[in-house]
Amino acid sequence: MDASVIVAGAGPTGLALAAELRLAGVDVIVVERLAEPTGESRGLGFTIRTMEVFDQRGLLPRFGDMVTSNAGHFGGLPMDFGILGSNHQAAKSVPQHVTEAVLEEWATELGVDLRRGTELLALRDTGDGVEIDVRDPAGERQTLTARWLVGCDGGRSLVRKAIGSEFPGTAATLEMYLADIRGVDLEPQLIGKTYPGGMVMVGPLGDGVNRIIVCERGTPPQRRDAPPPYAQVAAAWERLTGIDISHAEPVWVSAFGDATRLVTEYRRGRVLLAGDAAHIHLPAGGQGMNTGIQDAVNLGWKLAAVVRGTAPEALLDTYHDERHPVGQRLMMNTRAQGLLFLGGPEVQPLRDVIGELLTHEEVARHLSGMVSGLEIRYDVGTGTNPLLGLRMPHLELVSDTAKTSSTALLHAGRGILLDLEDNAELRRRAAGWTDRVDLVTAAPHGVDPAGPLAGVSAVLVRPDGHVAWVAPGSHHDLPMALGRWFGPSRHESDR
């Protein structure tokens, strides 16, 4: 085998997954058709959950100063994400090419074998491994082998097509333009502005560059092999707004549609899919890249455990079981936002009703949680504590020797058992998993007496930051939870 895992695609999802695998000690090759990064940035910024995920791995300082805000929207209707009480706000100012550069630096530091200029041509699942045919930078055809392959190769994924995975959904009904332009002064419209003929958005990127998005109703979708001419974008802008921007300097121009598709299987045999290879949708709220990164963080530790032999292959089934429903809700909310964003005057009554509903805290919290990624709850077993299956909130911790936090403890990408009451019996029962799970005895600091951590004596946190077990509050015991998520104990007596 050339590697335990081959990842196809060096976008944010592929790089994040490769780094997660290396963090767990798995050898990985990333094959990427492009010889160099494009420098283009379809994605812009991070949702709150992605901010938390990057903080879990200690990556946030690598991004430098970021513009963050609790201001958000649902289909152009403003919302305040501060209602969710996260330790973070959403980032508004990080171009995708910066995200890719940071993730590539992290991945290569960890030892990822990144092979740019290497085009995937074909693949075969042999039952006990995967073979892929590639064209290398010299134009030579060669075959690489691995135990597993993950397709992170975008919406037109060759990997998805090669394994015959269905990709049902709705075809694009219109085309929208995106352009980064310099030399024109435009009023920011971060959540969009509707006009009789469509919608526009404006976001400042710094250095005199504005990102604009133009959606003119009635523009038919096209399958393009090259960007649309900027003159076409400027003409649509002027028809909608009455403002002439034809004199601006186009830094980058692109087009996209509103197709919505979700793969039926995130795993088939020894091949898995993540990111845009598994789901495409209208980029409402910038959820696409963020969902792909979270796919990677969910999959990485599971695939690594199977590769290392510490967990059974069945653990990989939970990747589909957990992420496919996330994809379904992503399809639902982006289609709903598309109707609100892009519909004509006939949709105004719906906008008015939802705008009124958003004044109610429960509705605002529900929709904010949906588009921020903070509502995601995985099935980890029944229980009474509301934390079960949700992401672990940031918790400051104090031990006899140091101060730390639940977030910092996840930097190594391992499971964490937080013993908050110095329970020797609890630690004894978990001793058979200490090669995979860190046992941390510490006192919580600053727990909200009305929050979900009030009265909690212990928490088991998966490497992706989700809570797998809580005491009191879980209906299954600790060894059962450890075995389910981390494989068998080294000591059968603990089972």
Side-chain angles (χ1 to χ4, degrees):
M1 295 285 179
D2 293 288
S4 295
V5 181
I6 294 175
V7 175
T13 300
L15 291 169
L17 175 61
E20 289 287 313
L21 290 165
R22 280 300 304 144
L23 198 63
V26 172
D27 56 310
V28 55
I29 294 172
V30 177
V31 294
E32 167 57 50
R33 177 178 58 85
L34 297 176
E36 298 291 340
T38 65
E40 299 170 355
S41 295
R42 285 186 177 272
L44 188 66
F46 309 134
T47 61
I48 297 174
R49 180 56 188 148
T50 300
M51 291 286 282
E52 292 182 345
V53 164
F54 284 158
D55 201 8
Q56 287 173 187
R57 298 297 184 256
L59 293 177
L60 287 183
R62 295 180 184 236
F63 290 96
D65 292 334
M66 290 185 284
V67 176
T68 60
S69 172
N70 273 325
H73 69 90
F74 187 88
L77 301 173
M79 297 190 300
D80 180 3
F81 289 164
I83 196 172
L84 299 172
S86 170
N87 195 48
H88 289 287
Q89 298 180 336
K92 307 292 187 180
S93 63
V94 185
Q96 182 174 324
H97 74 268
V98 173
T99 302
E100 291 180 0
V102 168
L103 291 176
E104 180 174 335
E105 179 185 60
W106 181 44
T108 53
E109 284 177 5
L110 290 170
V112 168
D113 182 357
L114 174 56
R115 302 188 184 184
R116 290 195 174 275
T118 303
E119 182 180 5
L120 176 63
L121 302 174
L123 66 93
R124 295 168 296 281
D125 185 338
T126 63
D128 59 355
V130 181
E131 298 175 348
I132 68 168
D133 297 331
V134 300
R135 182 180 294 113
D136 68 18
E140 299 293 327
R141 189 178 182 115
Q142 60 175 284
T143 298
L144 300 175
T145 60
R147 293 173 62 188
W148 301 90
L149 170 69
V150 187
C152 303
D153 52 339
R156 300 180 183 179
S157 170
L158 185 151
V159 174
R160 183 188 65 241
K161 295 171 184 175
I163 63 174
S165 191
E166 297 178 17
F167 202 37
T170 59
T173 62
L174 48 80
E175 182 177 62
M176 289 161 272
Y177 304 128
L178 180 154
D180 294 345
I181 59 176
R182 180 184 286 114
V184 63
D185 187 21
L186 295 173
E187 179 185 356
Q189 301 288 350
L190 298 179
I191 64 174
K193 184 175 182 179
T194 57
Y195 289 88
M199 183 274 297
V200 302
M201 300 180 73
V202 183
L205 300 182
D207 296 326
V209 177
N210 281 307
R211 167 158 296 181
I212 64 170
I213 294 176
V214 191
C215 175
E216 187 175 23
R217 281 191 291 275
T219 304
Q222 297 187 40
R223 187 177 179 89
R224 296 181 180 271
D225 294 321
Y230 176 65
Q232 194 171 318
V233 179
W237 182 276
E238 186 168 9
R239 285 192 296 269
L240 288 177
T241 68
I243 300 172
D244 180 9
I245 59 171
S246 61
H247 59 284
E249 173 195 351
V251 178
W252 179 52
V253 180
S254 185
F256 59 95
D258 61 340
T260 301
R261 297 189 181 278
L262 176 66
V263 74
T264 54
E265 301 170 282
Y266 278 44
R267 176 195 174 195
R268 178 173 286 189
R270 289 189 168 266
V271 182
L272 302 106
L273 300 169
D276 289 352
H279 40 74
I280 60 170
H281 54 89
L282 182 76
Q287 297 176 78
M289 179 187 73
N290 289 271
T291 302
I293 290 169
Q294 291 162 44
D295 287 345
V297 174
N298 182 284
L299 174 60
W301 64 276
K302 296 174 181 177
L303 183 53
V306 172
V307 168
R308 294 195 314 265
T310 58
E313 193 173 308
L315 180 62
L316 287 179
D317 294 334
T318 69
Y319 172 59
H320 172 90
D321 294 343
E322 293 182 345
R323 295 306 294 176
H324 191 266
V326 171
Q328 289 176 317
R329 291 186 66 75
L330 177 66
M331 301 300 105
M332 177 184 71
N333 90 64
T334 53
R335 291 192 69 189
Q337 291 192 70
L339 291 173
L340 295 171
F341 255 138
L342 308 176
E346 73 280 2
V347 181
Q348 191 56 48
L350 182 60
R351 294 188 190 105
D352 294 340
V353 169
I354 294 181
E356 184 176 312
L357 288 172
L358 280 169
T359 64
H360 296 272
E361 181 175 332
E362 185 175 353
V363 175
R365 185 181 298 278
H366 179 77
L367 292 182
S368 296
M370 182 183 293
V371 299
S372 67
L374 298 189
E375 71 149 12
I376 296 170
R377 182 192 298 273
Y378 299 137
D379 180 7
V380 297
T382 60
T384 57
N385 191 288
L387 270 181
L388 281 169
L390 291 174
R391 100 281 187 219
M392 176 68 184
H394 180 81
L395 178 64
E396 295 292 331
L397 298 164
V398 181
S399 69
D400 291 339
T401 58
K403 293 182 179 180
T404 186
S405 70
S406 57
T407 301
L409 290 172
L410 288 166
H411 286 186
R414 289 166 53 87
I416 304 294
L417 177 61
L418 292 178
D419 172 11
L420 303 177
E421 292 189 352
D422 196 5
N423 186 331
E425 174 61 16
L426 178 89
R427 298 193 299 276
R428 186 198 67 77
R429 300 185 74 211
W433 287 272
T434 53
D435 57 329
R436 290 150 275 171
V437 178
D438 292 330
L439 310 187
V440 179
T441 300
H445 176 70
V447 172
D448 179 357
L453 285 165
V456 168
S457 61
V459 186
L460 177 64
V461 185
R462 305 187 327 184
D464 59 1
H466 281 259
V467 173
W469 177 87
V470 183
S474 291
H475 288 165
H476 50 292
D477 67 7
L478 176 60
M480 184 181 296
L482 286 162
R484 177 180 179 184
W485 298 111
F486 299 98
S489 166
R490 291 173 300 173
H491 313 307
E492 279 301 311
S493 61
D494 293 326
R495 300 302 305 270

